[in-house]
Amino acid sequence: MLHSMSTSVEPVSDRSADEVNEEIRALWRRAGGTLSVEEREEYQRLVMEWAAAAPQPVHAA
């Protein structure tokens, strides 16, 4: 089975990582701990948005 990968670039979020994290938590609360296929897709999108919005650690040289 082949899976296609999207080559489109998602826009950078205008929301903070905290705002996205709260939406992730709300999704899990609404789902009661078990995500449907549609909810999993939303969760994956939110996690990617959160990762893009999260502060990146600075490594010392």
Side-chain angles (χ1 to χ4, degrees):
M1 179 174 181
L2 296 175
H3 297 280
S4 63
M5 285 186 71
S6 173
T7 56
S8 64
V9 176
E10 292 292 323
V12 175
S13 175
D14 290 333
R15 301 188 294 170
S16 71
D18 288 339
E19 290 172 310
V20 179
N21 188 40
E22 184 53 40
E23 189 171 340
I24 292 169
R25 290 174 186 268
L27 173 63
W28 278 105
R29 282 190 299 268
R30 284 191 312 271
T34 303
L35 299 176
S36 68
V37 172
E38 293 82 16
E39 289 166 330
R40 273 185 264 147
E41 290 171 357
E42 176 70 2
Y43 174 74
Q44 289 174 345
R45 185 192 66 74
L46 288 168
V47 169
M48 295 298 292
E49 183 181 351
W50 174 86
Q56 301 300 312
V58 177
H59 298 285

